[in-house]
């Protein structure tokens, strides 16, 4: 090559590149590219992109993207973003985000979010949420809510409420209340209440009670009472009484009486007596007598005969029909009906908490009331099977047992697939004989099997109290919500079969502590998040189905620890990357046990590459 550059390009390219680049770029690119890129980039981009990317990026971006993306991102991003995004995203994100966002969003979201939020939301949300939320909130709210909450709350409330609650509550309450209340309560309550209540009441009352009372009462009473009482009284009474009495009494009396009495008595009595008597008598007697009489006598329409006991929440005199325990003058179980009821509430309250029983429509209250008033077995509080019977009854009420296809307490059919009769739920029979439930010799549940039975609702965390359980089979139902993390306490579990439901959220980390687990069947749900590396702890797993969910990230190499694995299906998710060699080493051709390995590896540009899959989708 010449020591100095020519004034114009030659008609044929040189056999080797010049040691000094030309002072001006060629108007037509070379027929063959140089073997090595120029030491310094051109000041003007080529009209036709190079077949291989430059080692150093151009000062100005090309007019169009390269035919193939770079094998790795540039160490320094372009000064200005491309006018049109690449057809395929880079395998790794840029070290530094672009100073100006692209006018058109990428077809696929970035695997790592930008350090700083965009100036405005994208026209369409990402197909999946970012695995890590932005460090700072956006200055303008997104058109659709994020699936994962921001690390810090927004400084300005959204104009419209979100379609559903966030998975975790905000770290701090909003400095200003919302302009309008939510039209309906959240489908799922927050895992824990806000650390502090709001400093000012809302201008319009909420349609449902708050879990934590406000410090200052509302200036205007609610038009209609709440369906259920608040968990605790407000520190100050309302300025005016409600125009309509509550359907149920408050759990505890107000710290101070109202300035004026209610115009009508409550439908049911308060749990504790008022410091001052009501002007009109209650429709039902109080559990504890008032210290002073009422101003007016009880109307003649009310039964003046004494009640068997002052306990008014549960039936006053449950009548046992089978398996009766001996009774004395004190009542069943050598205690009065009130004492038995409160003791049973104390026992089951150890796994459910006590607050749930203050809501008379809750499945917890319904299960306890059934045990106290309606269960023909009439268990005593000290019975070792009380908790187990309560958990099964709670599952029945919480998951709409009266609407089940088979074996509901009043349904038409209760036979198994072989035509054998089974016991109905909520009968006087032992719960081990209800439906397909199975117990060991000590009559403690080992198999909880209610599959393909129109089971609708959310799994109760109290299932974790069934400590002998080895099989949980609830597939082909309509179970929603998340998998309770407390399921990790069932250390004897060998089978979790929850496929074909509507479960959401991620797999709790506690599941990966169940070292005896052999079957993990979760396909055809709405589960999301990554597959934890801790799956490698489940060394006894033989059958795993994750297909038809919304899992993202990569397949962890720790699956290679599962030397007993026979089946692993992962197709129809958002997983990317390659199936690790450690998993391929488990395959039958490599003298392993893995006979069925299915993944999304069949497309022209598959999201997963797999050299050992037995079936690609």
């Amino acid at each position: 090559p010449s020591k100095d550059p020519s004034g114009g390009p030659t008609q044929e390219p040189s056999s080797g590149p010049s040691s000094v680049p030309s002072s001006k770029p060629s108007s037509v690119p070379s027929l063959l590219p140089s073997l090595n890129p120029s030491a310094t980039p051109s000041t003007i981009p080529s009209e036709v992109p190079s077949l291989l990317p430059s080692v150093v990026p151009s000062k100005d971006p090309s007019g169009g993207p390269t035919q193939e993306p770079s094998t790795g991102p540039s160490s320094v991003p372009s000064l200005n973003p491309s006018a049109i995004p690449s057809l395929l995203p880079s395998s790794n994100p840029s070290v530094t985000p672009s100073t100006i966002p692209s006018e058109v969003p990428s077809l696929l979201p970035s695997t790592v979010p930008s350090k700083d939020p965009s100036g405005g939301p994208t026209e369409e949300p990402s197909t999946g949420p970012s695995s890590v939320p932005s460090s700072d909130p956006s200055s303008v709210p997104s058109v659709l809510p994020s699936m994962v909450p921001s690390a810090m709350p927004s400084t300005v409330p959204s104009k419209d409420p979100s379609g559903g609650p966030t998975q975790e509550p905000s770290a701090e309450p909003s400095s200003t209340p919302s302009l309008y209340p939510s039209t309906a309560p959240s489908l799922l309550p927050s895992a824990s209440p806000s650390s502090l209540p709001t400093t000012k009441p809302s201008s319009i009352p909420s349609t449902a009670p708050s879990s934590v009372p406000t410090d200052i009462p509302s200036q205007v009473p609610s038009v209609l009472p709440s369906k259920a009482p608040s968990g605790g009284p407000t520190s100050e009474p309302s300025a005016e009484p409600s125009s309509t009495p509550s359907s149920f009494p408050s759990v505890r009396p107000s710290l101070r009486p109202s300035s004026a009495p209610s115009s009508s008595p409550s439908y049911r009595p308060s749990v504790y007596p008022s410091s001052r008597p009501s002007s009109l008598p209650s429709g039902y007697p109080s559990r504890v007598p008032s210290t002073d009489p009422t101003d007016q006598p009880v109307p003649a329409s009310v039964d003046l005969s004494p009640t068997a006991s002052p306990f008014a929440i549960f039936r006053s005199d449950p009548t046992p029909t089978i398996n009766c325990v001996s009774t004395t003058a004190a009542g069943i179980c050598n205690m009065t009906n009130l004492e038995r009821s409160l003791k049973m509430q104390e026992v089951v309250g150890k796994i459910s908490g006590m607050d749930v029983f203050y809501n008379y429509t809750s499945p917890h209250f319904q299960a306890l009331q059934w045990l106290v008033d309606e269960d023909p077995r009439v268990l005593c509080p000290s019975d070792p099977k009380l908790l187990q019977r309560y958990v099964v009854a709670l599952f029945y009420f919480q998951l709409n047992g009266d609407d089940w296809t088979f074996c509901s307490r009043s349904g038409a059919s209760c036979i198994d697939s072989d035509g054998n009769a089974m016991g109905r739920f909520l009968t006087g029979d032992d719960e081990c004989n209800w439906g397909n439930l199975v117990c060991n010799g000590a009559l403690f549940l080992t198999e909880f099997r209610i599959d393909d039975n129109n089971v609708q609702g959310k799994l109760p965390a109290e299932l974790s109290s069934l400590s002998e359980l080895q099989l949980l089979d609830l597939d082909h139902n309509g179970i929603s919500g998340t998998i309770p993390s407390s399921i990790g306490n069932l250390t004897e579990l060998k089978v979790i079969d929850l496929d074909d439901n509507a479960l959401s959220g991620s797999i709790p980390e506690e599941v990966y502590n169940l070292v005896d687990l052999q079957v993990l069947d979760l396909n055809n749900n709405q589960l999301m998040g990554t597959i934890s590396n801790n799956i490698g702890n489940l060394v006894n797993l033989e059958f795993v189905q994750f297909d038809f969910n919304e899992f993202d990230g990569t397949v962890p190499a720790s699956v290679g620890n599962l030397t007993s694995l026979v089946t692993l299906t992962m197709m129809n998710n958002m997983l990317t990357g390659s199936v690790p060699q450690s998993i391929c080493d488990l395959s039958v051709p490599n003298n392993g046990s893995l006979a069925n390995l299915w993944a999304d590896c069949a497309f022209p540009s598959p999201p997963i590459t797999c050299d050992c899959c037995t079936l690609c989708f």
Side-chain angles (χ1 to χ4, degrees), residues 585-601:
D585 292 341
L586 302 176
S587 63
V588 171
N590 291 326
N591 298 318
S593 59
L594 184 57
N596 304 298
L597 179 58
W598 302 352
D600 293 322
C601 50

Side-chain angles (χ1 to χ4, degrees), residues 491 493-495 512-520 535-544 559 561-566 593:
T491 55
L493 265 184
K494 292 180 171 59
V495 175
Y512 301 114
N513 296 328
L514 302 175
V515 294
D516 290 335
L517 202 63
Q518 298 173 9
V519 174
L520 184 57
I535 194 174
N537 298 337
L538 307 180
V539 293
N540 291 303
L541 272 180
E542 300 176 6
F543 186 88
V544 179
V559 175
N561 297 340
L562 312 181
T563 54
S564 299
L565 195 62
V566 175
S593 59

Side-chain angles (χ1 to χ4, degrees), residues 41-80:
S42 305
T43 55
I44 299 174
S46 305
E47 294 181 1
V48 179
S50 305
L51 295 179
L52 296 176
S54 303
V55 177
V56 179
S58 306
K59 293 181 179 180
D60 294 321
S62 304
T66 55
Q67 296 177 1
E68 295 293 331
S70 304
T71 54
S74 304
S75 57
V76 180
S78 304
L79 296 179
N80 295 318

